[in-house]
Amino acid sequence: MSAGGGGGGAFLLLPSISDSIPPHSRPNSIDSSRPSKKSFCFDCRAENERFQLLSRRRIGELRVVARVRLSARVRADVKSEPYDVADTVPDAVKFKDASVALDEIVVEDDGLESASPWWEQFPKRWVIVILCFSAFLLCNMDRVNMSIAILPMSAEYGWSPSTVGLIQSSFFWGYLLTQIAGGIWADTVGGKLVLGFGVVWWSIATALTPVAAKLGLPFLLVVRVFMGIGEGVAMPAMNNILSKWVPVAERSRSLALVYSGMYLGSVTGLAFSPMLIHKFGWPSVFFSFGSLGTVWFGAWLSKAQSSPLEDPELLPAEKNLITSNSISLEPVKDIPWRQILSKAPVWALIASHFCHNWGTFILLTWMPTYYNQVLKFNLTESGLFCVLPWLTMAVSANIGGWIADTLVSRGVSVTTVRKIMQTIGFLGPAFFLTQLSHVDSPAMGVLCMACSQGTDAFSQSGLYSNHQDIAPRYAGVLLGLSNTAGVLAGVFGTAATGYILQHGSWDDVFKVSVGLYLVGTVIWNLFSTGEKILD
């Protein structure tokens, strides 16, 4: 009985103890169905804080979330520990300590936030585009410097117009050799290696030009061929890289920006070449321009990759954006030549490229001579006034790119957009070249040249974007194929211009270009397409 009475006494004592404890201080085991108001509010605040941390995209996101969960787990352990009234910690102290922990988390997140500078968040695909833009800037700087330097060089060595035409066209001999080979190489091993090789190769050849000229004409022709070999792989390699890095909706503007690098390279080369020649002599142009390739090559090695799959620094969101809009990012193993050459749009692209480049390369190589012989500008004036047409091309190419991408994004078919842009690229130059025979002042001559080149630049959103439209997997090979025809136009057109000028006039030169522009317009509108025809 006494044992039973002892048990009963203990049983009767428990309610009296629980009644003496304030409601907000009782352990959760007494009334687990109704948590205290303060604890409930604190849990809400902790959950809100955790939700905000999870919604932020920070470098230390996972570590912060882990600490929040750890803090919540510790708090739960503290609340579930058995304790008596005398050892109970006041609720206010618990809340204060917990809030301090959360404040520490927020401060740490702010520190991590500043650890990601803006340049690391800049889209990597546009870093690639800018590096390609820089390569093409150097490409045309090294190409057009000969068109300025040839004037004092021909005076020093006594070259005839036919010899000048031979020297100018020798560049295209090497340029022709590496178009298709560069496209195959880029599509199989990746564009990073090929474009890097091209820039280094042509930079060395540029720097060796004065040495070769002093040794004799055959040596100069060989160096110019070597320079063409280096620049010949640039376009196919660039096209291969951009086909992997740039989504379809950004294609026209990215290509326009890269090709505007060529135009700005012409601007830079034509603007600085006369000044360097005047102060240091014509060899200084080749030495200074050739040395710039080493600076670009260092940046290219550290920043560029052939495709998004090979870039360890690419953010997941951008990688998903690129890969979801790409047909194939894997290197090509076999080239289906029979299938490629059996398609009418491919031949339309090849023929149009030939018609387009005939007029473009004539202006590229002979414009300073035209200004000097016809408009009577001196060497410095010829270089400075040659800047305006190329500057106009740089601006109008980007305008055309934005117009083309806007039309595509608004539902206009890619085929229609490509035909509109290339028709402007053909008929615009044809019209303004016909006006050169009617000009009565140098200012009007420069204006016609600027308008001709400005409308020509719309071709970047026409035929130059079409390779990736119709054969995205073989964009490098296809550009190499069509640009081979374009280079042939440069070889024949540049040499033929020297022959025509010896037996005719500049009007005869422009008539041939206008005729080819009209032929290209017809072929392009009849047979081209913007739809994919090759898998």
Side-chain angles (χ1 to χ4, degrees):
M1 292 293 295
S2 59
F11 176 79
L12 293 175
L13 180 63
L14 282 173
S16 62
I17 295 175
S18 63
D19 291 338
S20 66
I21 300 174
H24 66 275
S25 303
R26 296 177 187 176
N28 293 341
S29 58
I30 297 177
D31 190 1
S32 60
S33 63
R34 297 186 62 186
S36 67
K37 182 177 180 180
K38 291 183 179 180
S39 177
F40 177 76
C41 294
F42 173 74
D43 289 342
C44 289
R45 185 179 63 180
E47 288 298 315
N48 287 337
E49 186 71 17
R50 188 164 70 94
F51 176 79
Q52 293 174 8
L53 291 173
L54 287 172
S55 66
R56 299 176 185 172
R57 298 177 60 185
R58 301 289 184 263
I59 297 175
E61 183 178 24
L62 293 176
R63 187 171 60 181
V64 173
V65 173
R67 289 193 59 183
V68 172
R69 290 178 177 173
L70 179 60
S71 176
R73 192 162 57 245
V74 171
R75 185 175 66 250
D77 294 342
V78 171
K79 294 167 76 173
S80 62
E81 283 184 353
Y83 56 88
D84 56 21
V85 177
D87 296 330
T88 301
V89 180
D91 290 337
V93 175
K94 292 183 183 180
F95 298 151
K96 180 178 179 181
D97 294 340
S99 63
V100 170
L102 285 173
D103 289 339
E104 291 175 353
I105 292 175
V106 173
V107 169
E108 182 177 353
D109 183 62
D110 291 340
L112 292 170
E113 185 175 325
S114 62
S116 180
W118 66 269
W119 56 84
E120 292 183 4
Q121 301 176 21
F122 188 76
K124 186 61 179 288
R125 64 188 183 278
W126 285 101
V127 173
I128 300 296
V129 170
I130 291 172
L131 285 172
C132 290
F133 163 88
S134 304
F136 276 67
L137 181 78
L138 295 177
C139 177
N140 264 32
M141 283 178 62
D142 293 341
R143 187 186 301 183
V144 303
N145 56 14
M146 177 60 82
S147 65
I148 295 292
I150 198 71
L151 297 174
M153 290 173 73
S154 60
E156 180 177 336
Y157 295 111
W159 294 331
S160 67
S162 296
T163 303
V164 171
L166 182 66
I167 295 171
Q168 296 277 46
S169 65
S170 63
F171 165 86
F172 296 105
W173 305 345
Y175 197 66
L176 177 65
L177 292 175
T178 52
Q179 290 299 309
I180 298 176
I184 296 173
W185 191 17
D187 284 348
T188 52
V189 305
K192 176 182 178 178
L193 175 64
V194 179
L195 186 56
F197 160 81
V199 174
V200 171
W201 187 273
W202 86 58
S203 297
I204 293 174
T206 299
L208 291 176
T209 299
V211 178
K214 292 184 182 300
L215 292 176
L217 182 61
F219 293 95
L220 177 60
L221 295 177
V222 169
V223 169
R224 295 294 292 174
V225 170
F226 281 0
M227 182 179 173
I229 289 174
E231 293 202 3
V233 303
M235 276 194 183
M238 176 276 299
N239 219 34
N240 171 274
I241 292 173
L242 295 192
S243 69
K244 293 177 170 58
W245 275 96
V246 179
V248 176
E250 300 174 359
R251 180 170 296 162
S252 294
R253 76 190 78 165
S254 63
L255 282 172
L257 179 61
V258 171
Y259 282 114
S260 68
M262 296 179 63
Y263 310 142
L264 290 177
S266 297
V267 170
T268 306
L270 293 171
F272 283 94
S273 293
M275 293 186 289
L276 290 172
I277 292 172
H278 180 70
K279 290 185 177 180
F280 307 105
W282 63 263
S284 64
V285 174
F286 299 100
F287 293 143
S288 58
F289 286 8
S291 64
L292 295 176
T294 58
V295 179
W296 178 91
F297 187 65
W300 182 250
L301 286 180
S302 62
K303 296 296 182 182
Q305 297 294 340
S306 292
S307 87
L309 298 180
E310 302 175 14
D311 196 327
E313 300 178 355
L314 188 63
L315 296 177
E318 187 176 9
K319 180 177 288 188
N320 291 336
L321 172 66
I322 297 171
T323 55
S324 63
N325 287 275
S326 298
I327 303 299
S328 175
L329 298 173
E330 299 297 330
V332 173
K333 296 181 180 179
D334 299 311
I335 309 297
W337 290 109
R338 185 183 299 274
Q339 186 181 10
I340 290 174
L341 296 177
S342 66
K343 304 294 185 180
V346 172
W347 286 105
L349 188 57
I350 293 171
S352 299
H353 210 145
F354 180 91
C355 295
H356 171 268
N357 276 28
W358 183 284
T360 299
F361 279 124
I362 286 176
L363 295 180
L364 178 68
T365 55
W366 284 96
M367 191 188 302
T369 304
Y370 172 80
Y371 283 169
N372 180 258
Q373 293 181 355
V374 178
L375 302 183
K376 305 303 179 182
F377 294 146
N378 59 36
L379 177 63
T380 302
E381 290 173 336
S382 296
L384 292 177
F385 281 109
C386 281
V387 166
L388 183 58
W390 296 109
L391 188 60
T392 305
M393 290 187 81
V395 175
S396 61
N398 287 282
I399 292 174
W402 281 98
I403 292 173
D405 282 345
T406 301
L407 290 174
V408 171
S409 65
R410 292 185 178 180
V412 181
S413 71
V414 177
T415 299
T416 302
V417 171
R418 298 293 179 243
K419 289 186 176 182
I420 291 173
M421 305 307 284
Q422 189 55 48
T423 299
I424 297 173
F426 276 143
L427 296 184
F431 171 77
F432 289 108
L433 287 181
T434 59
Q435 303 306 304
L436 284 173
S437 60
H438 307 297
V439 299
D440 55 2
S441 68
M444 288 301 297
V446 173
L447 180 61
C448 284
M449 281 289 192
C451 292
S452 174
Q453 296 290 83
T455 51
D456 176 279
F458 277 72
S459 299
Q460 311 310 328
S461 303
L463 71 87
Y464 282 99
S465 297
N466 196 233
H467 307 83
Q468 298 181 33
D469 295 329
I470 64 177
R473 289 196 69 203
Y474 310 104
V477 170
L478 193 56
L479 180 60
L481 189 63
S482 73
N483 208 33
T484 297
V487 174
L488 285 173
V491 173
F492 296 144
T494 304
T497 298
Y499 177 83
I500 293 171
L501 291 177
Q502 229 174 339
H503 301 85
S505 66
W506 279 98
D507 287 344
D508 298 324
V509 172
F510 295 140
K511 285 177 182 177
V512 176
S513 297
V514 169
L516 288 173
Y517 280 139
L518 296 178
V519 171
T521 303
V522 174
I523 295 174
W524 183 258
N525 283 280
L526 286 178
F527 301 107
S528 69
T529 181
E531 304 302 321
K532 183 168 70 72
I533 61 173
L534 293 170
D535 292 324

